[in-house]
Amino acid sequence: MLGPAEVRRLAEELGVRPTKKLGQNFVHDPNTVRKIVSAAQLGDDDVVLEVGPGLGSLTLALLPEAKQVVAVEIDPPLAERLPRTVAEYDPENADKLHVVRMDAMKVTRADLPVQPTAIVANLPYNVAVPVVLHLLDELPTLRTGLVMVQAEVADRMAAGPGSKIYGVPSVKLAWYAQARKAGSIGKNVFWPAPNVDSGLVAFQRHEKPLSTVDKKRLFKIVDAAFAQRRKTLRAALKGAVENVDELLRKAGVDPQSRGEQLSVIDFIRIAEV
């Protein structure tokens, strides 16, 4: 496991200075990475996808618990150093690690040496939701996930209809999976310490797709419904679809309701008609 001294030593060796552009905040507390891995509830046969492994703190905790770990890292020096770090600290599990040097937002099935069943990651705050949605869309083998994100983002991802924080991330994630909050993480376990607390979000992919409706159409409706939260659905969807009142009535949705009142199933009914 990597503690504060090891993290600083590795960073100094590589000449790495965490950047806001890449959302780099390295975890240096072993108890925190143990907490994350425990919350992920991995099985011996799980192939874990880790996005942004950084210096390897979480990677070292994942390897003994998983069948294999695929680490996707955009930063070349970090990607190059990770296999050596694992070989130094956990040689018994070093052969379980695969490092893919690329942007997670561009990852496709063909880019990965093995297909992952779970994602466990400390995600950069600025791209957390797009990364999760992209990977769930692109990698059908992903069954479960446990991600650490900004606390506010975690709340939004796991929110349900009727909540003030329920919105686009909540509905789009619900299209793929059932999500829940799985814990809170303080600032001081990171280097450098971020300005906000973090939260853990766990999700389980639906066993069957919720609908065969076109996802692009559905997401277009969701985006429009939340573009101006105070607007009724009648007003919000006016520019996105024709015959709004008739459409909403056929879907069994009140035209005077607002986006935050609708579940993903309600949005699916609108998209279907």
Side-chain angles (χ1 to χ4, degrees):
M1 304 291 279
L2 302 180
E6 290 80 11
V7 167
R8 296 292 184 112
R9 178 183 63 79
L10 284 169
E12 185 176 345
E13 173 197 322
L14 294 171
V16 170
R17 292 185 178 182
T19 67
K20 287 186 178 180
K21 181 179 179 182
L22 295 179
Q24 291 173 324
N25 297 93
F26 300 127
V27 182
H28 60 55
D29 178 53
N31 287 330
T32 297
V33 294
R34 290 190 189 102
K35 176 180 178 179
I36 294 169
V37 174
S38 175
Q41 300 179 344
L42 299 172
D44 293 339
D45 61 343
D46 272 316
V47 176
V48 176
L49 176 65
E50 183 187 6
V51 176
L55 295 168
S57 298
L58 181 56
T59 314
L60 287 166
L62 287 168
L63 284 166
E65 305 299 324
K67 184 178 180 180
Q68 297 180 74
V69 174
V70 181
V72 176
E73 176 58 64
I74 192 173
D75 190 314
L78 294 177
E80 185 177 348
R81 183 64 169 87
L82 186 60
R84 287 195 289 130
T85 300
V86 170
E88 290 169 15
Y89 284 86
D90 188 8
E92 290 184 8
N93 290 303
D95 61 345
K96 292 183 179 181
L97 177 68
H98 307 271
V99 179
V100 177
R101 200 183 87 184
M102 67 182 302
D103 183 348
M105 281 297 295
K106 298 179 180 178
V107 165
T108 68
R109 279 167 276 184
D111 296 317
L112 304 182
V114 288
Q115 296 306 302
T117 60
I119 175 173
V120 184
N122 169 25
L123 294 176
Y125 294 163
N126 54 338
V127 296
V129 172
V131 164
V132 169
L133 295 178
H134 168 72
L135 293 174
L136 281 169
D137 195 54
E138 183 62 34
L139 306 173
T141 56
L142 276 179
R143 300 192 304 261
T144 64
L146 191 287
V147 294
M148 180 162 59
V149 297
Q150 182 178 338
E152 183 181 350
V153 175
D155 290 339
R156 290 177 180 173
M157 291 173 73
S163 167
K164 290 182 179 180
I165 55 174
Y166 179 73
V168 171
S170 322
V171 181
K172 290 185 178 180
L173 181 54
W175 163 253
Y176 296 103
Q178 184 172 0
R180 61 177 175 82
K181 285 286 296 293
S184 300
I185 305 291
K187 306 172 188 177
N188 296 328
V189 303
F190 297 96
W191 174 70
N195 296 324
V196 295
D197 288 334
S198 299
L200 299 178
V201 178
F203 50 87
Q204 179 90 29
R205 189 191 287 270
H206 303 305
E207 290 188 11
K208 296 180 180 179
L210 296 181
S211 170
T212 58
V213 72
D214 181 65
K215 185 200 69 177
K216 289 184 178 179
R217 180 193 304 164
L218 173 67
F219 282 10
K220 179 182 177 182
I221 291 170
V222 173
D223 288 336
F226 287 98
Q228 293 178 282
R229 295 183 68 97
R230 294 185 179 182
K231 283 191 173 184
T232 64
L233 282 172
R234 170 187 285 149
L237 299 183
K238 196 171 183 180
V241 295
E242 297 178 3
N243 303 320
V244 175
D245 281 15
E246 181 183 354
L247 180 150
L248 291 173
R249 281 194 293 271
K250 284 184 178 179
V253 175
D254 182 359
Q256 293 299 321
S257 60
R258 290 177 169 78
E260 60 263 31
Q261 297 172 279
L262 273 59
S263 69
V264 65
I265 300 300
D266 294 323
F267 281 109
I268 287 170
R269 289 208 310 268
I270 295 171
E272 286 176 339
V273 300

